[in-house]
Amino acid sequence: MGMTWDLNSLYPSFESGKLEEDRSRLGQYIEDLKEWATANLHTERPTPASTEAFLRIYNQYKGVYVCLMAYAELVLSADGSSQEAINLLDDIENANAGIGGVIAGFKRWYANCENLDELTGSSAYLLEHRFYLSEVLSQSRFVLNEEVEAAIAKMQSTGSKAWERLYMETASSVLAELETGDGSRKATLAELRSMAYDHNPKVRKAAHEAETGVCKSIAQICAACINGISGEALTVYGMRGYDSPLDKVLTASRMDRKTLNAMLSALQESLPSFHKFYEKKAVLLGHSAKLPFYDLFAPMNEEKSGISYEDAQNTIVSSFGAFSGELADFARKVFEQHWIDAEPRAGKGGYGMCIDIFSIQESRIMTQFTGNSMDIAVLAHEIGHAYHSSCLAGQTMLNTDYPIPIAETASIFCETLVNQTLIAGAAEKDIAPILERSISDAGYYLVDFYARYLFEIRLYERRASGTLSVQELNELMLTCMSEAYGESIDPDTLHSYMWLGKAGYFMAGNEFLNFPYSFGLLFSKGLYAEYLKRGEDFVDQYRLFLSATSKHNIVDVAAKMSIDVHSVDFWRGALSLIEEDIAEFIRRT
């Protein structure tokens, strides 16, 4: 079974006539947008005709832009040395920067809309975009004038975006010398990370030491990258009127602080339960003291031969089928039509990723499949993203944007389906290892991501006063990890360079890629509990829920599933399901 993706339905190559045609179309849509701006932005207030004209051109522009950007990003993710991909990214980003002023001008101009209901009621096309226009109105106060926004967009291509590419190229290409006692070999950072799940304790420890060493060798470069990206974010978001980068992310996520605070409050309360789990795991692994950080994800079952890619596919499809035949058919299509690049190789990004290409109603998924059980969860997670996007088929480009916390709900829900299927079919002796894997995964999304959240909050607080040295970044990372993991982890084994291994810190314009995952896990736990109560009736409503996520804020879309995300009790209830698993694991072991 092939483990690399097929991009031909997007573009056959960088030299293809289809790609060149789309680059030409993109240029024409840019000119059309600029002509629209010249004709309309001087007018006093929006009219139905002028608004509809803008939306139609902008939808066309985004449809082509998404294809070109997706192709470049996919190729570069699979091969960090692709100069053709880098060149295309530069060209498309520069082209996009050229309309930054137009988009900013539209948003500022649209603030003059006096009656949104009256305007959108004048045509079906405008009514279809009512939520998008209401978001434009509410966020128009964060938009600077056209000249400044255009300048920012152009400068970012040689600023934060350039720092991001430098980090990605550096982190994906660096090789470490791995010594395991059975000889030595070269390994990428992604390969070293995956060894945290290896059955051999010597391999786990050696990989940890090799990762620390290679991180140290590129730390200065990565420190420059994180300082450049975070510094620009503080400057730009401050100019736009946000209180902080977190404020910007919450606004973009359609999530309020009351929701975030309720979730974090419940999460902090639950940390001692995870600490008990880690302490128990230390005992089971034979450690006389606390659990070493490199054994955090150590498997508890007996070593088995590696899982084949075909076995992973069968497990995912059958697990999804127990929930929904439609979801199973979708997963089968993803594999059969080669939407996935799962082959591990040097130069390839060491992270799971799903890029949705709404223009062609497809997605592409990247993972590093090495044959361990965690790889099945990663595949299920990314297919969940793709399924979510498929639920939005038929929407215009401007109506396909949904907030990251909800996006992570769909992906983690799919992980839960796979995990529950494995437990249901397991022999008695295998239940504890499966529980351990599930709890470890939950700890990753909750405890580890809480440490990442604390780090990013404090990074921006410190960055406001100047750049941070490698030593300062390391110390900050250790402090935040200690707060999250408490005394359950051996402090001498904590990974001080962990900030360097988190690609989210280096993704310009995508700050705080941490708490949305915690939200997603806990929200999906709540949804799964509802599924167990309601059975088949839940399945159709779940699909409708996903299809509504692009046109509602988080509070309102959660209410469609009868969930109050402002309630700390809701989050406590979701966490109690994990705490019950921890208690059961401890009882069984």
Side-chain angles (χ1 to χ4, degrees), residues 7-26 64 67-68 71 357 359-360 362 364:
L7 302 181
N8 285 330
S9 59
L10 193 52
Y11 302 110
S13 69
F14 287 100
E15 296 77 28
S16 71
K18 184 181 178 183
L19 189 147
E20 287 304 315
E21 180 182 340
D22 274 0
R23 292 183 72 164
S24 177
R25 290 172 61 205
L26 190 76
V64 177
C67 287
L68 292 168
Y71 186 67
I357 316 163
S359 310
I360 61 173
E362 295 182 5
R364 289 298 182 271

Side-chain angles (χ1 to χ4, degrees), residues 290-584:
K290 298 169 184 176
L291 183 68
F293 186 72
Y294 52 79
D295 275 350
L296 197 66
F297 302 109
M300 302 298 297
N301 57 328
E302 296 178 5
E303 184 171 3
K304 299 178 181 178
S305 57
I307 300 166
S308 72
Y309 190 58
E310 185 174 5
D311 287 342
Q313 173 184 343
N314 292 336
T315 298
I316 290 170
V317 171
S318 62
S319 300
F320 287 4
F323 172 74
S324 159
E326 181 211 17
L327 180 57
D329 289 342
F330 178 81
R332 190 178 293 109
K333 179 178 75 171
V334 168
F335 283 102
E336 292 176 350
Q337 295 187 4
H338 301 287
W339 287 12
I340 305 172
D341 190 314
E343 181 183 69
R345 57 182 179 271
K348 179 179 174 181
Y351 44 87
M353 176 187 75
C354 176
I355 290 183
D356 302 311
I357 316 163
F358 289 102
S359 310
I360 61 173
Q361 295 188 21
E362 295 182 5
S363 299
R364 289 298 182 271
I365 290 165
M366 186 180 77
T367 70
Q368 295 256 14
F369 189 86
T370 58
N372 63 52
S373 58
M374 182 63 179
D375 294 333
I376 301 179
V378 173
L379 280 169
H381 181 104
E382 301 304 337
I383 293 172
H385 282 303
Y387 175 70
H388 187 174
S389 299
S390 75
C391 293
L392 300 171
Q395 296 285 353
T396 66
M397 289 302 302
L398 293 175
N399 283 337
T400 57
D401 182 28
Y402 48 85
I404 292 176
I406 292 296
E408 294 310 321
T409 298
S411 53
I412 297 171
F413 187 86
C414 282
E415 279 190 65
T416 303
L417 292 174
V418 170
N419 190 62
Q420 293 300 318
T421 298
L422 291 174
I423 290 176
E428 183 70 18
K429 66 181 179 63
D430 294 326
I431 293 178
I434 295 173
L435 281 172
E436 185 279 328
R437 178 78 279 129
S438 175
I439 298 164
S440 286
D441 290 347
Y444 177 66
Y445 286 118
L446 299 175
V447 185
D448 196 72
F449 278 54
Y450 179 59
R452 299 188 202 186
Y453 168 79
L454 293 176
F455 175 87
E456 197 159 2
I457 283 286
R458 294 167 190 177
L459 168 67
Y460 284 113
E461 291 173 352
R462 298 271 294 276
R463 185 65 183 85
S465 301
T467 59
L468 284 78
S469 66
V470 170
Q471 181 179 347
E472 289 173 316
L473 289 165
N474 286 355
E475 291 173 351
L476 182 59
M477 189 80 258
L478 287 176
T479 298
C480 296
M481 292 176 73
S482 296
E483 288 186 33
Y485 286 101
E487 297 183 356
S488 62
I489 304 296
D490 181 353
D492 293 333
T493 64
L494 287 175
H495 193 337
S496 61
Y497 291 99
M498 190 56 70
W499 59 271
L500 188 156
K502 307 305 179 189
Y505 293 146
F506 300 86
M507 292 183 176
N510 292 283
E511 300 77 20
F512 288 97
L513 289 174
N514 33 63
F515 72 79
Y517 291 82
S518 304
F519 179 104
L521 182 135
L522 294 176
F523 193 69
S524 68
K525 288 287 183 183
L527 287 174
Y528 191 79
E530 287 297 309
Y531 164 58
L532 294 178
K533 293 176 188 175
R534 293 156 49 191
E536 287 298 318
D537 291 341
F538 176 90
V539 177
D540 289 338
Q541 190 174 1
Y542 178 69
R543 196 186 195 290
L544 291 173
F545 157 76
L546 291 180
S547 66
T549 52
S550 62
K551 293 184 178 180
H552 294 83
N553 63 42
I554 283 179
V555 170
D556 292 341
V557 80
K560 288 183 174 292
M561 303 299 288
S562 302
I563 291 172
D564 178 10
V565 290
H566 286 163
S567 169
V568 178
D569 286 339
F570 164 73
W571 301 106
R572 287 174 178 148
L575 282 157
S576 70
L577 298 177
I578 304 171
E579 291 168 349
E580 289 171 7
D581 284 348
I582 292 173
E584 179 65 11

